[in-house]
Amino acid sequence: MDDNALTALRRRNYLFTSWPWRSLLYVASTPVIALLVWPLALPVVPLVALLVSLTRESTVDTGTAFVISGVSIACYLVAAPLLALPLAALERHRLRLVRPEPVRAGHRVPPSTGPWSWLVTRYTEAATWRAVGYGTLLAAAAPVFSLFALGWVMFAVALLLAPSIVSGANPIHLVFIEVSTPAEAWPWTPLGLAMVVTTPYVTGLTAWVHGLVAAALLNEPATSARLHTELVEVSRSRARLVDGFEAERRRIERDLHDGAQQRLVGLTLQLGLAKLDVPGDSPAAVTVAKAHEEAKALMAELRDLIAGIHPQVLTDLGLPAALRELADRTALPVTVRSDLGERPATHVESTAYFVVAEALTNTVRHGRATQAWVRAYREKGQLIVEVTDDGQGGARPDLGTGLTGLADRAATAGGRMLLSSPAGGPTVVRIELPWTTA
């Protein structure tokens, strides 16, 4: 497939492809689009008036012309993006007629979902003002080129039809040509025929020039596009690593639960039965009893190890139930509040759980807290988890308390960690993770 209208123009079978019709549709629709956004051409008027007042005598004072121009441009800069942004979106779709390669806008994602955040983001990015520049150029200059192409077609048709419609009583004026009789019109017929034959090439060339300018202004820079592609690939690679790590974690947990733990349970039962069979006053009774207690302690440690790898309750019942179980196993009172509704994706749940587990461990070891609170909720497309304690505060990531690991774990899932820990407390660890569903 041809890359653009210019590539198609170079082909010998150009006239027998869809490109002439696509170019004609693109050129013919341009004046209609320009008419819809005519306010974008308004800054040209006061600027022209200002130039006139500076270069020749005018009834309008120069200072007044400057003020009018300044006010007009200020109003334009405020209102123009609101019209240029939807125009740019429409033009990117219309460009597919003459440029099959997609045109990427390059707009940034607002930091939040509010209208104010959207406005600030759009008004402070280069892509918006490139769209404004294109809209002004389209409204002011593009109709000239489109009307030239359409005028070319009309002039060619008029030259072809002139011999049949001209009469002495009604001469025809064709720009710089005036014919009164068919005899005078016939010599111009070959020119009209040549113009008709070249019309598809004229409209194609006009469409290519317009498309070239539109793509230059509406497409994101090549460097940004390359970085965007690389960033997307990095994000996908990170997601694959997270998913693979989570799958491996669950496999290890399942192997330990179904293999080693079950065998250890059997060994503990066997030792218990042996303890009952051995006489209490025999030398072997003490050894068997000690082995039985060691087996039970080892089974408890293995159970905690499996829960640390991936708790079964997290898989079966979800994050709220897993957080409540975690709170019950913590060495200080922990209050859990959860308002999630549906369950997020598995890797999001897992990341949130282990962040809370590590944060509570830090609280017990370093915080000197008497109570902690865990809150999990969904807000603006994010899973928010907050761990608060009434300890001494003063937590810092550079003190080796595991906070850097929490931040790294959150970043792996595409989120971030926020910390508030003034001296004297309280300490608040806040994790924000993108809400995705399985």
Side-chain angles (χ1 to χ4, degrees):
M1 186 176 181
D2 296 307
D3 295 331
N4 51 54
L6 181 63
T7 305
L9 280 169
R10 296 171 177 172
R11 298 176 62 89
R12 294 182 179 180
N13 62 339
Y14 170 74
L15 295 177
F16 303 99
T17 65
S18 62
W19 280 99
W21 301 104
R22 294 167 61 171
S23 301
L24 179 61
L25 179 60
Y26 187 75
V27 171
S29 60
T30 296
V32 178
I33 303 298
L35 183 63
L36 295 176
V37 295
W38 65 267
L40 291 175
L42 289 179
V44 177
V45 177
L47 290 177
V48 171
L50 177 61
L51 291 175
V52 171
S53 66
L54 293 174
T55 56
R56 56 184 293 186
E57 294 185 2
S58 173
T59 58
V60 180
D61 181 66
T62 302
T64 303
F66 268 110
V67 172
I68 294 176
S69 300
V71 172
S72 300
I73 293 176
C75 295
Y76 170 80
L77 294 178
V78 172
L82 301 178
L83 184 58
L85 288 174
L87 167 67
L90 174 62
E91 286 297 284
R92 290 187 187 97
H93 289 287
R94 205 166 68 95
L95 268 173
R96 300 299 293 270
L97 288 171
V98 294
R99 184 187 174 92
E101 181 182 353
V103 176
R104 194 185 301 275
H107 290 298
R108 301 195 307 269
V109 178
S112 62
T113 57
W116 178 250
S117 176
W118 184 89
L119 285 174
V120 171
T121 302
R122 291 294 175 264
Y123 273 78
T124 55
E125 60 185 2
T128 297
W129 297 106
R130 290 200 305 269
V132 171
Y134 172 77
T136 303
L137 188 62
L138 178 72
V144 176
F145 292 95
S146 296
L147 291 176
F148 166 76
L150 295 177
W152 178 282
V153 175
M154 295 175 62
F155 186 67
V157 173
L159 289 179
L160 283 178
L161 298 180
S164 60
I165 60 176
V166 69
S167 63
N170 297 305
I172 297 178
H173 298 273
L174 301 175
V175 188
F176 55 88
I177 302 173
E178 178 179 348
V179 292
S180 302
T181 63
E184 295 178 354
W186 276 113
W188 297 104
T189 302
L191 176 61
L193 182 61
M195 292 180 66
V196 168
V197 173
T198 57
T199 292
Y201 294 92
V202 173
T203 55
L205 186 61
T206 304
W208 173 74
V209 172
H210 184 179
L212 188 66
V213 174
L217 292 174
L218 300 181
N219 201 5
E220 65 177 341
T223 303
S224 299
R226 179 177 55 82
L227 292 177
H228 179 272
T229 302
E230 293 178 356
L231 181 60
V232 169
E233 182 56 34
V234 169
S235 299
R236 291 175 178 173
S237 177
R238 183 177 64 183
R240 289 193 296 268
L241 288 175
V242 171
D243 292 341
F245 179 74
E246 185 63 25
E248 185 65 15
R249 182 202 297 271
R250 297 180 68 176
R251 185 191 65 79
I252 295 173
E253 180 269 336
R254 186 169 56 252
D255 290 346
L256 288 175
H257 181 273
D258 298 341
Q261 186 179 31
Q262 298 304 318
R263 294 177 64 184
L264 187 56
V265 169
L267 176 61
T268 305
L269 292 176
Q270 292 292 334
L271 289 172
L273 293 175
K275 181 180 177 182
L276 295 176
D277 293 338
V278 175
D281 55 352
S282 66
V286 177
T287 304
V288 172
K290 185 178 179 180
H292 184 230
E293 292 301 321
E294 289 290 340
K296 289 195 296 183
L298 181 57
M299 188 168 62
E301 292 182 6
L302 182 60
R303 187 183 301 111
D304 291 340
L305 175 63
I306 293 173
I309 294 175
H310 190 89
Q312 189 63 33
V313 66
L314 181 62
T315 302
D316 296 339
L317 301 179
L319 183 61
L323 292 179
R324 286 191 291 269
E325 183 191 60
L326 180 63
D328 293 338
R329 293 191 287 108
T330 304
L332 55 80
V334 179
T335 302
V336 177
R337 292 171 53 195
S338 177
D339 183 19
L340 298 182
E342 63 177 333
R343 294 183 61 173
T346 302
H347 73 276
V348 176
E349 280 190 327
S350 178
T351 300
Y353 174 85
F354 286 107
V355 165
V356 173
E358 183 66 24
L360 290 177
T361 300
N362 289 340
T363 298
V364 173
R365 290 179 179 175
H366 312 289
R368 298 182 182 177
T370 60
Q371 191 173 2
W373 297 265
V374 176
R375 184 186 176 199
Y377 58 97
R378 181 179 181 180
E379 181 181 81
K380 296 180 180 179
Q382 291 183 318
L383 171 62
I384 310 297
V385 180
E386 296 177 348
V387 181
T388 308
D389 67 66
D390 60 353
Q392 62 183 351
R396 290 166 49 190
D398 57 349
L399 295 180
T401 56
L403 293 174
T404 302
L406 294 183
D408 291 342
R409 187 185 290 272
T412 301
R416 63 173 182 167
M417 185 197 79
L418 305 175
L419 173 67
S420 174
S421 184
T427 296
V428 180
V429 176
R430 176 186 172 100
I431 301 296
E432 299 177 353
L433 301 173
W435 183 281
T436 57
T437 55

